Amino acid sequence: AEERVKNALIEELGEISASMITPDAKLKDTLGLDSLDRVLIADILDISVKEIGSAETVQDLITIVQQKNQKL
């Protein structure tokens, strides 16, 4: 899940380096995700906009993807 989240963030936010994507990195403050980025990343990760809306950090996003995968 962690690699999948990192790849999605790099794909959507091409201007950031992979080294910036740490578990404690803040999606908005550190990585600069706006609402459109969140929608596009939610689509890439096959999660809902509501789910990604509750994520504040990269780790939150990883946890959401892991929980989604466990339900499948």
Side-chain angles (χ1 to χ4, degrees):
E2 184 172 352
E3 196 64 32
R4 190 167 167 222
V5 168
K6 275 188 168 186
N7 289 338
L9 290 168
I10 290 168
E11 181 179 330
E12 185 52 40
L13 305 170
E15 70 277 1
I16 64 168
S17 80
S19 63
M20 291 177 65
I21 304 172
T22 60
D24 61 341
K26 302 247 183 245
L27 296 177
K28 183 177 180 183
D29 298 337
T30 306
L31 303 179
L33 251 70
D34 61 21
S35 56
L36 178 58
D37 293 326
R38 285 179 180 262
V39 169
L40 296 172
I41 291 171
D43 188 49
I44 292 168
L45 294 173
D46 195 30
I47 60 175
S48 73
V49 174
K50 183 178 179 182
E51 288 170 315
I52 198 171
S54 68
E56 292 186 22
T57 65
V58 172
Q59 184 59 55
D60 293 343
L61 202 47
I62 292 167
T63 300
I64 290 166
V65 170
Q66 287 172 333
Q67 289 172 345
K68 184 92 170 182
N69 289 342
Q70 288 175 353
K71 290 178 183 177
L72 297 179

